[in-house]
Amino acid sequence: MPLLSISNLEVEFETAEGVVKAVNGMTFDVFEGETLAIVGESGAGKSQLVLSFMGLLAENGSVSGEAKFRGEDLLQMKPRELNRIRGRHIAMIFQDPMTSLNPFLSIEKQMTEVVRHHQGLSREEARAHAVEMLRAVRIPDPEERIKQYPHEYSGGMRQRVMIAIGLLCAPELLIADEPSTALDVTVQAQITELVGELRKKTKMALVLITHDLAAVAEISDRIIVMYAGEAVETGTVDEIFYSPQHPYTRGLIASVPRLDRISDDELQAIPGNPPNLLELPIGCNFRDRCSEATEQCLERPPVWRATSGRTSRCFQGIEGGEIVNE
Amino acid sequence: MNKPVLRVQDLAVTFTSYTGNLFQRRQRQLRAVDGINFELNPGETLGIVGESGSGKSTLARAILGLIAPGRGRVMWNGEELTGLDEEALRQKRKELQIVFQDPVASLDPRMTAGDIIAEPLWTFYPNMERLQVEERTRGMMKVVGLLPNQINRYPHEFSGGQCQRIGIARSLVLNPKLLICDEPVSALDVSIQAQIINLLKDLQNKLGLALIFIAHDLSVVRHISDRVMVMYMGQAMEVSDKTKLYRRPLHPYTNALMKSVPVPDPKLAAAARQDSWLTGDMPSPYRRPKGCIFHNRCPFRVKRCEADIPALRRMEDGDWVACHRAEELDLSIQVAASG
């Protein structure tokens, strides 16, 4: 049984300009111990997807579909039941380590609060546990540093503290929303290494959200590429990087500037901008930015699935695959 | 030989802060920029790369006179900017413009795209005809790849990449000779970053601009730079010609920065990880290491690095490096041909 099973999830927002469909019929599973990356540009709906089943949507947002965690539908839970799951069984790390820590509370206070609430540990036990976690994320001198306040930590260290807080209750699922985007490349590399190490040590499943395919190449098992609220391609990490099927996936890979190749050609960008969800193009959502678009693309593209399970939402199809919808 | 348009000599910026309590105030000095030298020719691009806290943004602001430097000189076309009074400096800024990092936060949400782009014109040429301003604004929008009929739209109606185009149009509307771009693509999606970099390179060719391009990631500046300066804790570690720097960096810190760039290939990425060695954070700027400021993170350090400060010195082929062991270390990068 999958740890998390999302089916037909839709997220809508009521805005002054009309109803915006941020997530449009997402279906996927997350299994124990695996790392799933959800990749897409700003506005693709990747954050809203996760926030919706964590019960964290903005007030004008609504969600429908199913999000089963160990068989229980998170979307049907009352806030109290959801609180029992959040933090303890599913933990989340947000993008900006500068604003997700409370500047008025010591690191110790912020860390021990979580375990005392969820696991009922005493103050000393909670503190010892927190110090151990800080050591696990390689904060030097954790017994001393736990007494300090967020401003005394560098950006990379703050993000490591956020990861440590996420791991405190040994969750079965950790969701990280752009955990290293606000950080220097050097620190990004350290965080990637840390996450990869933790993944090997525990059976925790990991969902990584990012706009940068290169950032997840090393640590993902499977990847979902999202565009305008939909999955346009899904597959294993090797399938996505070594034989991408959807033109958008190929564009994302090509746009990564690389140092391991000599090339003085023009840098490759995906032309145009992510679409306005209120004025989606007719037919394929990616059509007006796609260099391979044809007349056919004026209609909704079908979803193709190969025997390996990988999918692509494009008329080009997948060799040896079949159409599974429409 | 070209005559350099910009000459920065021994530029230093120090911030003073106070700690302690009411009765025992202690002064602390933070050397944000510590003796930077470089020259920039017309039409040339200098990339400046370093981690947060390396002083690259402070350097940019000091060049433009937005922060008063504590020491050193900034020469613009042979004229010293560092001593100018505010009004004279303001006039000079027609020629020296800056593009900021966060395209959304640096635009006033209550102004239309047209007003944002035209504002410098109103400020410097208050008597310019309305029609002329509008014509120039529409022209500028076209140049940066925006539709002139979007002139009355507000920033929230644009995507991040488009907002950065508005920021670029605004900084080019006065026909500057030097454009400083302070992390212009860090806040953008990877898929959009190349659009902005290609646009800047294009504009530079068309307008003959001198360009300073600041980033924390060496892969981002590679395409646009002629030379690259790598900064660490306010100092230049290496200033090299682009082609040489990306094949054989001279300074271990440059090498470390190159190796932390993520590779979009699962197998190569895993191999690259085995090979990277930069650990730890930059030391607190209040506790600068003795000797080479990088020695505590450097795997190539020897006794000498802990005691002697390496000067920025010129190598035989004209590149500059601040490392005692630059000659003996071979930090060549493995690259595959083609792209």
Side-chain angles (χ1 to χ4, degrees):
Chain A
M1 191 176 75
L3 187 63
L4 178 72
S5 184
I6 304 288
S7 57
N8 237 341
L9 195 91
E10 302 204 349
V11 178
E12 288 183 346
F13 290 95
E14 300 263 1
T15 71
E17 289 95 44
V19 176
V20 171
K21 202 167 226 175
V23 178
N24 188 8
M26 289 290 290
T27 299
F28 62 91
D29 293 334
V30 182
F31 293 89
E32 204 169 78
E34 84 166 337
T35 301
L36 172 74
I38 302 177
V39 182
E41 293 167 297
S42 345
K46 45 198 197 308
S47 294
Q48 298 308 331
L49 164 70
V50 166
L51 292 175
S52 73
F53 64 74
M54 294 291 279
L56 297 172
L57 281 184
E59 251 173 37
N60 62 341
S62 61
V63 57
S64 66
E66 258 185 9
K68 288 192 168 167
F69 180 72
R70 293 203 178 286
E72 285 182 277
D73 192 350
L74 297 171
L75 303 186
Q76 302 302 326
M77 284 186 186
K78 299 201 176 69
R80 268 190 62 188
E81 295 174 280
L82 207 51
N83 274 339
R84 182 173 53 81
I85 304 267
R86 285 190 301 219
R88 173 139 201 194
H89 300 280
I90 307 178
M92 192 160 175
I93 300 168
F94 295 94
Q95 175 166 355
D96 190 345
M98 306 297 159
T99 53
S100 358
L101 286 167
N102 186 334
F104 294 107
L105 298 179
S106 67
I107 298 296
E108 173 170 359
K109 180 89 186 149
Q110 305 194 42
M111 291 187 78
T112 51
E113 218 167 45
V114 186
V115 266
R116 293 186 69 189
H117 175 79
H118 281 294
Q119 299 182 329
L121 295 185
S122 75
R123 222 187 149 130
E124 287 71 37
E125 286 170 323
R127 187 169 188 281
H129 185 50
V131 166
E132 193 187 314
M133 274 300 138
L134 286 181
R135 188 169 288 131
V137 297
R138 285 197 243 115
I139 299 286
D141 205 4
E143 282 96 353
E144 282 305 307
R145 296 220 60 153
I146 196 169
K147 296 177 198 152
Q148 293 182 324
Y149 286 80
H151 75 269
E152 298 174 80
Y153 280 62
S154 70
M157 286 175 72
R158 270 180 253 190
Q159 192 57 292
R160 274 181 264 168
V161 170
M162 289 310 299
I163 294 176
I165 291 177
L167 296 173
L168 274 172
C169 296
E172 288 111 299
L173 175 63
L174 180 69
I175 299 170
D177 188 357
E178 306 262 9
S180 58
T181 301
L183 305 172
D184 281 324
V185 272
T186 47
V187 182
Q188 280 180 26
Q190 290 171 20
I191 297 288
T192 305
E193 195 180 336
L194 173 66
V195 170
E197 235 172 66
L198 291 169
R199 190 180 74 121
K200 270 183 224 145
K201 279 191 214 150
T202 63
K203 276 203 309 190
M204 179 178 74
L206 192 61
V207 173
L208 293 171
I209 299 174
T210 182
H211 67 97
D212 185 358
L213 259 175
V216 295
E218 189 190 340
I219 45 174
S220 318
D221 298 309
R222 283 190 306 131
I223 291 177
I224 296 176
V225 180
M226 274 185 87
Y227 191 78
E230 296 176 331
V232 292
E233 181 163 3
T234 66
T236 65
V237 67
D238 285 356
E239 285 169 340
I240 296 291
F241 280 99
Y242 298 131
S243 66
Q245 298 294 313
H246 199 284
Y248 180 59
T249 311
R250 290 198 283 271
L252 285 181
I253 295 172
S255 62
V256 176
R258 299 181 67 154
L259 289 181
D260 59 335
R261 289 185 182 170
I262 304 162
S263 160
D264 268 334
D265 312 334
E266 213 27 22
L267 270 181
Q268 291 207 28
I270 298 178
N273 295 285
N276 178 347
L277 295 172
L278 283 165
E279 303 162 28
L280 284 176
I282 300 165
C284 174
N285 290 332
F286 185 56
R287 178 173 54 88
D288 54 358
R289 300 174 71 191
C290 181
S291 58
E292 299 165 44
T294 64
E295 287 272 294
Q296 203 179 16
C297 304
L298 286 163
E299 300 198 13
R300 289 274 298 162
V303 175
W304 285 74
R305 179 182 289 144
T307 44
S308 71
R310 70 181 303 185
T311 65
S312 173
R313 187 187 291 270
C314 178
F315 284 104
Q316 293 179 2
I318 305 175
E319 216 180 286
E322 54 172 8
I323 292 177
V324 288
N325 81 335
E326 286 161 302
Chain B
M1 266 311 267
N2 265 328
K3 234 180 104 192
V5 278
L6 180 72
R7 202 171 265 167
V8 171
Q9 293 169 341
D10 193 30
L11 197 65
V13 179
T14 305
F15 295 115
T16 307
S17 64
Y18 297 92
T19 58
N21 56 35
L22 190 62
F23 306 105
Q24 281 190 309
R25 283 223 311 175
R26 274 205 311 261
Q27 213 181 341
R28 295 205 290 183
Q29 302 274 334
L30 189 156
R31 282 189 268 164
V33 174
D34 195 9
I36 295 290
N37 292 286
F38 69 88
E39 287 178 352
L40 193 65
N41 292 320
E44 188 188 26
T45 304
L46 176 73
I48 300 181
V49 177
E51 292 169 283
S52 354
S54 61
K56 41 196 203 307
S57 293
T58 307
L59 172 62
R61 283 163 175 72
I63 292 170
L64 295 175
L66 298 170
I67 298 174
R71 186 179 83 217
R73 299 204 300 173
V74 178
M75 307 289 290
W76 174 248
N77 280 325
E79 190 182 352
E80 183 165 351
L81 293 184
T82 13
L84 290 181
D85 64 53
E86 211 145 292
E87 179 53 30
L89 198 57
R90 202 178 77 89
Q91 288 303 325
K92 277 282 169 266
R93 289 212 190 100
K94 274 188 263 185
E95 296 170 28
L96 310 146
Q97 287 286 316
I98 184 164
V99 176
F100 293 102
Q101 170 168 4
D102 188 331
V104 181
S106 54
L107 303 181
D108 186 335
R110 286 164 303 186
M111 287 169 76
T112 63
D115 288 339
I116 290 169
I117 296 169
E119 196 181 30
L121 291 174
W122 295 122
T123 314
F124 281 102
Y125 306 102
N127 299 324
M128 199 183 243
E129 297 261 344
R130 239 196 124 70
L131 264 174
Q132 207 186 338
V133 171
E134 191 178 320
E135 198 179 310
R136 179 118 184 88
T137 304
R138 284 177 188 274
M140 220 51 246
M141 290 179 77
K142 237 187 271 173
V143 167
V144 299
L146 291 167
L147 297 173
N149 65 18
Q150 296 171 323
I151 191 166
N152 289 320
R153 295 209 185 174
Y154 289 88
H156 75 268
E157 299 177 72
F158 293 94
S159 66
Q162 287 173 314
C163 284
Q164 196 55 292
R165 288 174 195 268
I166 296 174
I168 293 170
R170 175 194 169 93
S171 58
L172 290 179
V173 78
L174 294 168
N175 279 326
K177 302 284 177 298
L178 170 71
L179 189 63
I180 299 184
C181 303
D182 187 4
E183 303 237 25
V185 300
S186 304
L188 302 178
D189 284 328
V190 173
S191 51
I192 304 295
Q193 289 181 2
Q195 284 185 10
I196 299 298
I197 294 171
N198 290 336
L199 170 69
L200 285 168
K201 196 169 177 181
D202 240 33
L203 290 172
Q204 179 183 33
N205 286 340
K206 262 187 226 150
L207 309 172
L209 290 168
L211 207 62
I212 294 178
F213 192 103
I214 298 173
H216 66 249
D217 179 340
L218 270 167
S219 68
V220 168
V221 303
R222 175 183 177 189
H223 188 65
I224 196 166
S225 306
D226 300 305
R227 273 181 308 145
V228 177
M229 172 155 84
V230 176
M231 280 183 80
Y232 188 73
M233 298 188 78
Q235 297 180 4
M237 299 282 102
E238 172 167 0
V239 187
S240 283
D241 178 80
K242 167 178 85 169
T243 44
K244 281 183 275 179
L245 180 121
Y246 286 100
R247 286 185 195 194
R248 189 186 163 182
L250 295 170
H251 199 285
Y253 182 57
T254 314
N255 180 264
L257 284 180
M258 289 185 71
K259 287 191 168 162
S260 25
V261 173
V263 191
D265 182 316
K267 290 184 186 105
L268 293 179
R273 169 84 48 243
Q274 303 278 316
D275 204 28
S276 75
W277 47 261
L278 189 68
T279 53
D281 288 336
M282 197 184 281
S284 157
Y286 297 112
R287 269 171 266 145
R288 297 169 83 85
K290 289 204 172 64
C292 172
I293 44 174
F294 185 60
H295 84 252
N296 63 324
R297 297 172 81 186
C298 182
F300 304 106
R301 67 170 173 265
V302 290
K303 261 259 133 50
R304 187 174 172 206
C305 307
E306 290 161 29
D308 297 349
I309 299 175
L312 187 71
R313 63 207 163 86
R314 189 164 204 151
M315 300 283 280
E316 260 171 33
D317 53 2
D319 294 331
W320 295 79
V321 65
C323 172
H324 294 305
R325 305 187 61 197
E327 283 85 0
E328 46 174 315
L329 294 176
D330 182 2
L331 303 170
S332 298
I333 295 292
Q334 295 293 319
V335 285
S338 100

